[in-house]
Amino acid sequence: MKICVIGTGYVGLVAGTCFAESGNTVVCVDVNEEKIAGLREGVIPIYEPGLKEMVIRNSAEGRLTFTTDLAAAVKTSLVNFIAVGTPPGEDGSADLKYVLDVARAIGSHMEGFKIIVDKSTVPVGTADQVRRAVQEELDRRGVSYEFDVVSNPEFLKEGAAIDDFMKPDRVVIGVDNVRTAELMKELYSPFMRKTNRMILMDVRSAEMTKYAANAMLATRISFMNQIANLCERMGADVSAVREGIGSDSRIGYDFLFPGVGYGGSCFPKDVKALVRTAEECGYDFMLLKAVEEVNERQKMLIPEKILRHFSGDGAGESRPLAGKTIAVWGLSFKPRTDDMREAPSIVVIERLLAEGASVRAHDPEAVKEAQKIFGDRIAYSCSSPYDILAGADALAIVTEWNEYRNPDFERIAEQLRTPVIFDGRNLYNPRRLKEMGFIYHGIGRNGSGFVEK
């Protein structure tokens, strides 16, 4: 099948590459000439395990090409995926400017029947707007071509996107007629070899499914963070509580890890957008508003713990962390990605800087992205995490990269000025660290004899 994917961001590049891997002829389109030139040379603009190798292989074998010529790509493709960004507006609603610009461009250049697929995360009703935009361009041209608009939301996890696409939990397809449904089923059939995980529904339900899924996962995270904060006050251990409730088959263990809050390109944006969509319908989505508020507060938890720990040691009141150096492990919003959109590390570091601290940060992949945000206000390392520890007053864990899970604690203690760890992801055993002479600050784990200070 001949496919055009418009937008070479995270979703578009992964989708286009995986479709090519399954034998389709795919052309990926972007307005950024520098990005397209880089992709042609095998330069991948995002970090995603396995993606670079797959891009290079499919490009070499002629199934995957990159271009800035949208007109030519649309004319030669049956299925046209819209995979451009939908950034949040000031009111939290999704900005559909880029989606509708692409829809108009497709209408301007299409010749013959086209399937137009919304792959971007878009609010309910977007397919109707896309349909109108395409039809207006056809009317302006004075031509009549048949087309269908499909909703096909993505459910990829950054850091595992290739596996998620090639072996999906499910593929949701919102479609209005049988012919297009059969073509979409044919397109996705290579990924359904073992079991059929394809779910067909109406277009609006498919659009809602994406937001509902992300909102539910965000809700579980915020719920568990609230339980963790309560555990801390009541002397309970949230890790034990998680095991106790996760063993209930109705609940399960996934997305019940307490920490410093969620981030990334999906959860924060999609929660805001769904709240805004509800408001437009005259509905007060109180639960999701609370989920969002909990998440924003949770990002401040580690800086507040650091401030409490160092209070009363002679630091000035206006800048209580003046003269202190905090080493931070983890910048990306989650491991196995360089994505820093809405990353908790941004809130943590900005607060530490505002309170007078010097910050050194390590991340295996996200240093370049962090430099765009912090510039030279902090020091960086992308090699060894131990590089930033010498003379630091404390270590804060913000992202749970595998490199941080079993470190050399003796080496950490030797390099830190004081053996203090703020474990924002509950990676370590509090009892063991206490026995080794560390002062341990976790999330919801200060009971059972684990006293913070």
Side-chain angles (χ1 to χ4, degrees):
M1 201 173 292
K2 292 186 177 181
I3 299 170
C4 168
V5 179
I6 304 166
T8 59
Y10 187 86
V11 173
L13 186 55
V14 170
T17 304
C18 290
F19 281 133
E21 180 75 7
S22 64
N24 297 287
T25 300
V26 180
V27 54
C28 291
V29 183
D30 204 289
V31 296
N32 188 324
E33 295 182 0
E34 183 179 354
K35 181 190 284 189
I36 291 297
L39 286 166
R40 288 171 175 164
E41 297 297 322
V43 178
I44 310 302
I46 58 174
Y47 174 72
E48 178 62 38
L51 181 60
K52 181 174 183 176
E53 295 80 4
M54 195 177 284
V55 168
I56 292 172
R57 179 173 62 255
N58 283 279
S59 297
E61 295 175 1
R63 292 188 298 271
L64 181 63
T65 57
F66 300 95
T67 184
T68 58
D69 189 349
L70 184 146
V74 168
K75 288 175 183 177
T76 58
S77 302
L78 169 62
V79 186
N80 297 267
F81 283 86
I82 300 177
V84 294
T86 54
E90 292 184 3
D91 61 355
S93 61
D95 185 348
L96 298 179
K97 176 183 183 304
Y98 303 112
V99 170
L100 297 179
D101 283 350
V102 170
R104 283 186 282 269
I106 292 172
S108 297
H109 301 296
M110 62 185 284
E111 296 176 357
F113 172 66
K114 301 294 178 185
I115 298 174
I116 302 166
V117 185
D118 280 336
K119 197 67 174 172
S120 304
T121 300
V122 293
V124 176
T126 298
D128 296 334
Q129 296 186 55
V130 168
R131 191 176 289 110
R132 285 194 297 269
V134 174
Q135 189 60 55
E136 287 171 1
E137 287 301 311
L138 293 176
D139 293 343
R140 182 186 61 78
R141 293 169 59 194
V143 296
S144 179
Y145 296 121
E146 190 178 356
F147 67 94
D148 282 323
V149 179
V150 174
S151 175
N152 176 216
E154 57 84 17
F155 298 99
L156 306 179
K157 298 186 296 292
E158 293 190 38
I162 299 298
D163 282 346
D164 283 350
F165 200 102
M166 301 298 287
K167 302 173 185 177
D169 289 332
R170 77 286 201 200
V171 173
V172 172
I173 299 173
V175 62
D176 291 331
N177 69 64
V178 174
R179 177 183 61 174
T180 297
E182 290 302 315
L183 287 169
M184 292 300 294
K185 286 166 66 177
E186 179 184 341
L187 178 60
Y188 275 104
S189 62
F191 312 112
M192 303 288 158
R193 296 243 175 232
K194 292 186 177 180
T195 57
N196 185 2
R197 299 171 296 277
M198 211 174 310
I199 305 171
L200 271 67
M201 60 183 71
D202 64 277
V203 173
R204 285 189 168 230
S205 294
E207 291 172 331
M208 178 60 82
T209 296
K210 168 65 175 180
Y211 280 104
N214 281 351
M216 172 58 77
L217 297 176
T219 299
R220 286 171 65 94
I221 294 171
S222 283
F223 169 79
M224 203 60 193
N225 281 333
Q226 290 273 271
I227 292 296
N229 295 341
L230 184 58
C231 284
E232 195 163 311
R233 287 162 174 77
M234 300 297 294
D237 185 341
V238 73
S239 297
V241 174
R242 177 181 177 271
E243 184 175 3
I245 67 174
S247 59
D248 188 327
S249 60
R250 298 167 300 175
I251 298 173
Y253 292 100
D254 292 341
F255 289 85
L256 289 182
F257 290 98
V260 291
Y262 59 76
S265 61
C266 294
F267 289 3
K269 177 172 68 72
D270 292 354
V271 168
K272 288 182 174 69
L274 193 52
V275 168
R276 180 59 181 169
T277 297
E279 290 174 348
E280 291 172 353
C281 296
Y283 180 71
D284 185 3
F285 209 144
M286 294 181 289
L287 177 61
L288 280 192
K289 287 181 179 178
V291 167
E292 185 179 17
E293 182 180 354
V294 167
N295 192 58
E296 292 308 307
R297 289 183 180 180
Q298 199 72 15
K299 293 178 181 180
M300 298 301 296
L301 203 57
I302 288 297
E304 289 171 356
K305 286 174 177 287
I306 293 173
L307 282 165
R308 285 199 302 271
H309 175 82
F310 287 110
S311 64
D313 63 356
E317 292 184 4
S318 60
R319 289 167 64 83
L321 296 181
K324 303 296 182 185
T325 298
I326 308 299
V328 174
W329 281 1
L331 292 165
S332 57
F333 87 93
K334 61 177 286 188
R336 293 171 63 85
T337 180
D338 61 352
D339 195 343
M340 285 195 61
R341 286 174 286 185
E342 301 282 347
S345 64
I346 298 173
V347 175
V348 171
I349 291 173
E350 289 289 4
R351 178 68 187 280
L352 293 176
L353 293 174
E355 300 294 349
S358 297
V359 176
R360 306 173 190 160
H362 174 274
D363 192 281
E365 297 294 338
V367 165
K368 288 183 179 179
E369 293 301 313
Q371 289 172 331
K372 298 174 185 176
I373 299 168
F374 300 113
D376 60 0
R377 292 185 294 152
I378 69 174
Y380 308 91
S381 172
C382 59
S383 52
S384 170
Y386 301 101
D387 291 345
I388 63 171
L389 298 182
D393 294 279
L395 169 62
I397 316 297
V398 180
T399 310
E400 64 274 31
W401 284 90
N402 282 340
E403 290 92 324
Y404 307 150
R405 291 185 178 274
N406 290 291
D408 185 339
F409 289 110
E410 291 184 0
R411 187 174 177 185
I412 293 173
E414 289 172 359
Q415 295 197 60
L416 291 178
R417 187 176 300 170
T418 53
V420 185
I421 292 181
F422 296 89
D423 186 358
R425 295 296 180 178
N426 285 354
L427 300 185
Y428 308 137
N429 184 315
R431 288 190 186 277
R432 181 188 175 201
L433 290 187
K434 184 178 179 182
E435 291 169 356
M436 295 178 67
F438 282 91
I439 298 172
Y440 176 83
H441 302 255
I443 303 293
R445 303 179 71 187
N446 300 318
S448 304
F450 309 145
V451 180
E452 278 204 339
K453 187 177 179 182

